[in-house]
Amino acid sequence: VHNYRANSRATGLATGRAMAIGHVIPVLNRNDVVNPIFAEFVAGASQTYSAHGYELILTIAEEQSEGDAYRNLAAKGAVDGFIVHSPRREDFRMDLLNDIGLPFVVHGRTDDPAHPYSWIDMNNKQAFEQACKLLLDLGHRRIALINGAETLNFAWRRRLGYEAALSQAKVALDNELMFSGELTEELGHTAASQMLSMLNPPTAFIASSYIVALGIKRAIAQAKLEMGRDVSVIIHDDELSYFHNHGEVPQFTATRSSVRSAGELGAQMLIDLVGQAVLAPQSRLLEARLTIGASTGPAPDRQTPESIPADHVQSDKTVMDRARP
Amino acid sequence: VHNYRANSRATGLATGRAMAIGHVIPVLNRNDVVNPIFAEFVAGASQTYSAHGYELILTIAEEQSEGDAYRNLAAKGAVDGFIVHSPRREDFRMDLLNDIGLPFVVHGRTDDPAHPYSWIDMNNKQAFEQACKLLLDLGHRRIALINGAETLNFAWRRRLGYEAALSQAKVALDNELMFSGELTEELGHTAASQMLSMLNPPTAFIASSYIVALGIKRAIAQAKLEMGRDVSVIIHDDELSYFHNHGEVPQFTATRSSVRSAGELGAQMLIDLVGQAVLAPQSRLLEARLTIGASTGPAPDRQTPESIPADHVQSDKTVMDRARP
DNA sequence: GTGAAAGCGCTAACAA
DNA sequence: TTGTTAGCGCTTTCAC
């Protein structure tokens, strides 16, 4: 028979290796869809696992049972390691997993881990600093931030980048221009509607996800403003784009593919860790590769702001760069 | 020790049960995010599995390796059964899985299976027929359909419902009012923009997903039309809503929670099948429960259309039902 | 090299 | 009921 595969339970018993990796995805809000970023990351990881004979064991856990999910999988010997999703700024799972003793890789980071650990992340702070700086260079002074829940490290770091750029430009922070919450279209719409009706409304938005940006766009349209002439938007995540003078110009390119890459690479990191009997000193990888770039593309009457690395230029539309607040 | 769990590999070897279910999710388009419906279904299934001591093994497979994914998992004895996602109208996996011999449950249906099989589905045809009929009752005659890829059974059935309603109302089909493709915001935006610039544009849209509806809304705003006054939209899937006279009135309620329920129930069906040594005659369940309902809610000057079952009424906003084309 | 045997941690069948 | 034992299908070791 040529379609024979060794029985995975027997192999597992004999070798002590489960040949499986656990992904425990927290569902923070019962009404919320599972974050599409997870799906993309998991898709990348799945590909790597397949190539190495590993399985991906997925558990969707509600907050109160999250710890149990890790403990069960480990105690049953069902997995050889874990990918940790959606790290909070301070995350109980760091201690838990050190306790459990299986190797793990974090997709993202925590603020201040007691012990070193492996992670893969994008440079959220730098990306938002660049995004904000770009808008500042274009003359914007009222720049709104619509961010994810800032108990999560990624959102917190994004805010740090936003604040850093404003502070460098000596623009004061305005609490009324900063929203955070569940990354939904509704958040974008509600927050933007509210801000646009202010006496001194923002002239630009930075959104922490694609879907939030859609909400912002809807609010702008409903406020009978025009994208590009009256308001600029930079969105982040799925489709980093910069809206400009009646045109939409892709500005930041990230994530569909880079999140998938992160999944592939995170899985590879973990497989390497599992391979070493000794749990090696933890590694940190690929920040550079996943950093988000920005550009204005080929501009007829204006140069690409110097703050933006040239090698990140990825614009396929012409910029009409008369968009000023 | 009270935190003891029997080793799953040993148990599996001894019992011949893997205590795991395989979910193979096809990634049809490399650029596409994994369908959020999958995530919701999987979340529901995961919950059921946890309650019964099963694991969920997830594989994201590209088209050419999809068959291998099933075969591998089965040959390795890694799973006791499968959930089949995203069935096409004619789907090679039906034969494949009959061949493999493990029980499976399909989330959705195929057109014409050679053998009976277990599935769980919503009533796509009826839902779209009702949606379309509602618009017809309101006086619309130019009703556009923006649908998923019609090689997939769910999209095909939705189209059948749409066509049935039009045909019943003796409204001729117009090919220029029917689009289908990947369910993205861009599809909604492109298709709607194009249709709204027709000489005889549609006065209402039916969209096959939440994200598509967002694209339609953006196109409408950009065309300087007003939702409810100039154009009506019914969207389907994540957040079935009906847009009306300057207000947004939830009309169809479905899916966030019902897709999750479908996941729970589908998993339960499969666990039951696995439990029976004899592969029982396949069952079909819960069409009714997952059927999408529609209503106009409490209307000040108009009754709920009779075509809409009263027990599906789920409106939490007041309808101002003067919206006519 | 090639082949036989022990054992991984359980379950199930059997004996007492 | 409770205790003992023979496998489940592999890998690994050890003897040849």
Side-chain angles (χ1 to χ4, degrees):
Chain A
V1 184
H2 76 301
N3 204 3
Y4 168 81
R5 307 265 127 174
N7 180 287
S8 66
R9 306 291 136 169
T11 312
L13 225 207
T15 60
R17 284 265 166 84
M19 295 305 282
I21 301 298
H23 287 237
V24 179
I25 298 194
V27 45
L28 304 168
N29 186 318
R30 189 178 279 271
N31 294 341
D32 193 23
V33 197
V34 177
N35 187 331
I37 296 293
F38 293 152
E40 207 63 57
F41 187 95
V42 157
S46 172
Q47 187 175 318
T48 298
Y49 297 146
S50 295
H52 293 263
Y54 279 78
E55 309 304 341
L56 190 164
I57 294 193
L58 184 75
T59 305
I60 311 288
E62 291 174 26
E63 208 142 9
Q64 73 272 14
S65 64
E66 206 182 343
D68 290 337
Y70 286 95
R71 258 187 288 266
N72 273 333
L73 287 174
K76 284 163 60 169
V79 299
D80 299 320
F82 290 102
I83 297 283
V84 176
H85 288 270
S86 203
R88 291 73 145 167
R89 292 186 56 195
E90 295 183 22
D91 203 308
F92 75 96
R93 292 173 293 178
M94 299 294 109
D95 288 337
L96 172 63
L97 286 164
N98 267 307
D99 199 53
I100 287 176
L102 289 180
F104 62 94
V105 169
V106 179
H107 178 206
R109 276 172 279 182
T110 59
D111 275 14
D112 236 344
H115 305 284
Y117 62 101
S118 303
W119 51 262
I120 181 161
D121 199 6
M122 61 169 78
N123 196 334
N124 287 297
K125 178 166 184 287
Q126 182 183 304
F128 269 51
E129 188 170 347
Q130 287 182 352
C132 191
K133 194 163 185 323
L134 174 63
L135 290 169
L136 288 163
D137 287 349
L138 291 172
H140 292 276
R141 286 298 173 273
R142 302 282 294 164
I143 302 172
L145 173 69
I146 305 185
N147 202 8
E150 289 173 355
T151 53
L152 300 173
N153 173 282
F154 86 91
W156 178 247
R157 290 175 63 84
R158 288 176 178 189
R159 162 193 273 268
L160 290 182
Y162 166 83
E163 290 184 356
L166 289 181
S167 135
Q168 208 182 323
K170 303 208 191 324
V171 174
L173 291 180
D174 182 345
N175 276 324
E176 300 198 339
L177 295 183
M178 299 183 291
F179 277 67
S180 76
E182 251 185 86
L183 293 172
T184 61
E185 204 255 357
E186 205 190 344
L187 171 68
H189 183 251
T190 307
S193 298
Q194 191 169 326
M195 288 191 266
L196 288 172
S197 65
M198 290 167 59
L199 289 174
N200 192 6
T203 60
F205 290 89
I206 302 179
S208 211
S209 85
Y210 173 60
I211 195 80
V212 165
L214 292 180
I216 298 173
K217 290 201 240 176
R218 183 154 68 94
I220 289 171
Q222 284 176 349
K224 305 229 196 313
L225 299 176
E226 209 159 306
M227 197 79 79
R229 199 191 56 202
D230 307 310
V231 182
S232 290
V233 180
I234 286 190
I235 67 171
H236 191 269
D237 259 8
D238 289 18
E239 202 183 77
L240 292 158
S241 299
Y242 178 69
F243 296 92
H244 229 222
N245 265 21
H246 317 284
E248 297 179 10
V249 182
Q251 281 294 331
F252 289 68
T253 56
T255 47
R256 289 285 163 83
S257 62
S258 71
V259 172
R260 188 174 287 236
S261 299
E264 292 173 19
L265 290 159
Q268 188 63 61
M269 287 166 67
L270 185 50
I271 288 174
D272 290 346
L273 284 179
V274 169
Q276 303 158 324
V278 180
L279 295 187
Q282 278 81 1
S283 53
R284 324 195 154 199
L285 287 189
L286 283 169
E287 170 149 20
R289 168 130 178 214
L290 294 175
T291 294
I292 289 170
S295 83
T296 55
D301 58 2
R302 196 168 196 284
Q303 285 304 314
T304 298
E306 292 181 50
S307 63
I308 308 303
D311 58 345
H312 285 129
V313 168
Q314 290 217 15
S315 174
D316 57 3
K317 291 182 189 167
T318 302
V319 176
M320 292 165 289
D321 205 355
R322 283 159 252 121
R324 296 294 179 89
Chain B
V1 182
H2 75 302
N3 204 3
Y4 166 81
R5 307 266 126 173
N7 181 288
S8 66
R9 308 290 135 168
T11 310
L13 227 206
T15 60
R17 284 268 167 82
M19 294 305 280
I21 302 297
H23 287 237
V24 180
I25 297 195
V27 44
L28 303 168
N29 185 320
R30 187 179 280 271
N31 294 343
D32 193 23
V33 197
V34 177
N35 188 331
I37 296 294
F38 293 151
E40 208 61 58
F41 187 95
V42 157
S46 173
Q47 188 175 317
T48 298
Y49 296 146
S50 295
H52 293 262
Y54 279 79
E55 310 304 342
L56 190 166
I57 294 194
L58 183 75
T59 305
I60 311 286
E62 295 176 22
E63 206 142 11
Q64 75 272 13
S65 64
E66 206 181 342
D68 291 338
Y70 286 96
R71 256 187 289 265
N72 274 332
L73 287 173
K76 283 163 61 170
V79 300
D80 298 320
F82 290 102
I83 297 284
V84 175
H85 288 270
S86 202
R88 291 73 148 166
R89 293 187 53 197
E90 296 183 20
D91 203 308
F92 75 96
R93 292 172 293 178
M94 298 296 108
D95 288 337
L96 173 63
L97 286 162
N98 266 307
D99 199 51
I100 287 175
L102 288 181
F104 62 94
V105 170
V106 179
H107 177 207
R109 278 171 278 183
T110 59
D111 275 13
D112 236 345
H115 306 284
Y117 62 102
S118 303
W119 53 260
I120 182 161
D121 198 7
M122 60 169 78
N123 196 335
N124 287 298
K125 178 167 183 284
Q126 182 182 305
F128 269 51
E129 187 169 345
Q130 286 183 351
C132 190
K133 194 162 186 326
L134 174 62
L135 291 169
L136 288 163
D137 286 348
L138 292 172
H140 292 276
R141 285 299 173 272
R142 301 282 293 162
I143 302 172
L145 172 68
I146 306 187
N147 201 8
E150 289 173 356
T151 54
L152 299 173
N153 174 281
F154 85 92
W156 177 248
R157 289 175 65 84
R158 289 176 179 189
R159 162 195 273 267
L160 290 181
Y162 166 83
E163 290 183 356
L166 289 182
S167 134
Q168 206 182 325
K170 302 207 190 324
V171 173
L173 291 181
D174 182 344
N175 277 322
E176 300 198 338
L177 294 183
M178 300 184 290
F179 278 65
S180 76
E182 252 185 86
L183 292 171
T184 61
E185 204 255 357
E186 205 192 342
L187 171 68
H189 183 250
T190 307
S193 299
Q194 190 169 328
M195 287 192 269
L196 288 172
S197 65
M198 289 167 60
L199 288 174
N200 193 5
T203 59
F205 290 89
I206 302 178
S208 208
S209 86
Y210 174 59
I211 195 79
V212 165
L214 292 179
I216 298 173
K217 290 200 240 176
R218 184 154 66 92
I220 289 171
Q222 284 175 349
K224 305 231 190 329
L225 298 175
E226 207 161 310
M227 199 80 79
R229 197 194 55 201
D230 307 308
V231 182
S232 291
V233 179
I234 286 189
I235 68 170
H236 190 269
D237 261 5
D238 289 19
E239 202 183 77
L240 291 157
S241 299
Y242 179 70
F243 296 91
H244 229 220
N245 267 18
H246 317 283
E248 297 180 9
V249 181
Q251 281 294 333
F252 288 68
T253 55
T255 47
R256 287 285 164 82
S257 62
S258 71
V259 172
R260 187 174 288 236
S261 299
E264 292 171 20
L265 290 160
Q268 188 63 61
M269 287 166 69
L270 185 49
I271 288 173
D272 290 347
L273 283 180
V274 169
Q276 304 159 319
V278 180
L279 295 186
Q282 277 80 2
S283 53
R284 327 197 151 197
L285 286 190
L286 283 168
E287 170 149 20
R289 167 133 178 213
L290 294 175
T291 293
I292 290 169
S295 83
T296 56
D301 56 4
R302 194 167 199 286
Q303 286 303 314
T304 298
E306 292 181 49
S307 62
I308 309 302
D311 58 345
H312 284 129
V313 169
Q314 291 216 15
S315 175
D316 56 3
K317 292 182 189 167
T318 301
V319 176
M320 291 165 288
D321 205 354
R322 284 161 249 120
R324 295 296 180 88

